[in-house]
Amino acid sequence: MLNAIWAFMILLAVVFAACTGHMSDVTNAALDSAGEAISLCLTMAGVVALWMGLMEIAKKAGLIEKMTRGISPFLTFLFPRIPKAHPAREYIAANIIANVLGLGWACTPAGLKAMKELANLEAERSNPEYVNASGDRQASNEMCNFLILNISSLQLIPVNMIAYRSQYGSANPASIIAPAIAATLFSSLVAVVFCKWKDRGGIK
């Protein structure tokens, strides 16, 4: 659907430019944007390399393990039905930590593994409530809660936004930090409240 929307917008722009005699502007904009895209990719590659390297150092230094233990009570609160020794908890913790640090690229693999482990956990439970009339599996409460929490994405250091603002000439790229913390903190609190409200009384 998104591809269709983008294709329609591009086609509309080309048709409008042709009708108004601005095809040269469209061509110049396409070439300029292509150059900017390459420049932005190189900038983001450097940022990714830096933060992924720092994450690896933190992991080998034991900081990630300590942070995982630190948020264990929160995981128990939000996911009370996941056994404490289950691999899903470790992947969920890694995903949350990466999100908090603004490392969206690092949180994706952990998030996918967490979803896989949560699906395996539900299969082990053989819960009939999560199989629809067609026999297809449906998302469990834990999977929905994790997805909502992941989307709300509390961030202390919005690395992506800082890099984008720096790339496009912002005088103070890091000024986005305080608004980002406030916005994502609010969205995360709303996500937690919503998940616990929907999850009240157990499985729905």
Side-chain angles (χ1 to χ4, degrees):
M1 183 62 183
L2 189 59
N3 289 338
I5 293 175
W6 277 109
F8 173 75
M9 292 175 63
I10 293 172
L11 180 61
L12 183 63
V14 171
V15 172
F16 181 81
C19 293
T20 58
H22 289 85
M23 281 299 294
S24 60
D25 294 334
V26 173
T27 302
N28 292 334
L31 294 175
D32 292 342
S33 297
E36 287 184 13
I38 296 298
S39 178
L40 181 61
C41 285
L42 292 175
T43 299
M44 296 307 297
V47 174
V48 171
L50 171 63
W51 282 98
M52 291 297 289
L54 292 176
M55 280 287 286
E56 190 64 24
I57 293 173
K59 182 178 179 180
K60 291 185 177 181
L63 294 178
I64 301 299
E65 183 179 351
K66 291 180 180 178
M67 293 174 71
T68 300
R69 288 199 301 268
I71 66 173
S72 182
F74 172 74
L75 295 180
T76 301
F77 169 73
L78 195 60
F79 306 99
R81 298 179 65 239
I82 299 179
K84 290 189 176 181
H86 199 275
R89 284 176 61 100
E90 179 181 348
Y91 291 128
I92 291 174
N95 177 272
I96 292 174
I97 292 171
N99 259 328
V100 168
L101 296 178
L103 305 177
W105 322 277
C107 75
T108 300
L112 294 175
K113 290 179 180 178
M115 279 295 190
K116 181 178 180 180
E117 291 296 336
L118 290 174
N120 292 338
L121 177 61
E122 210 54 46
E124 293 170 6
R125 293 170 178 165
S126 301
N127 194 332
E129 294 192 27
Y130 293 103
V131 180
N132 60 24
S134 303
D136 298 324
R137 296 187 185 279
Q138 302 183 63
S140 65
N141 281 22
E142 288 86 359
M143 295 170 76
C144 293
N145 290 351
F146 174 62
L147 180 61
I148 293 171
L149 184 66
N150 194 268
I151 293 172
S152 69
S153 184
L154 171 64
Q155 291 189 7
L156 298 181
I157 309 173
V159 178
N160 281 357
M161 292 303 300
I162 293 175
Y164 291 144
R165 286 167 58 83
S166 177
Q167 173 67 20
Y168 289 106
S170 172
N172 186 9
S175 64
I176 195 68
I177 291 179
I181 291 176
T184 57
L185 178 61
F186 179 77
S187 65
S188 296
L189 288 174
V190 171
V192 171
V193 172
F194 177 80
C195 289
K196 296 306 292 184
W197 177 66
K198 295 296 288 185
D199 205 28
R200 68 196 186 284
I203 298 175
K204 301 297 181 186

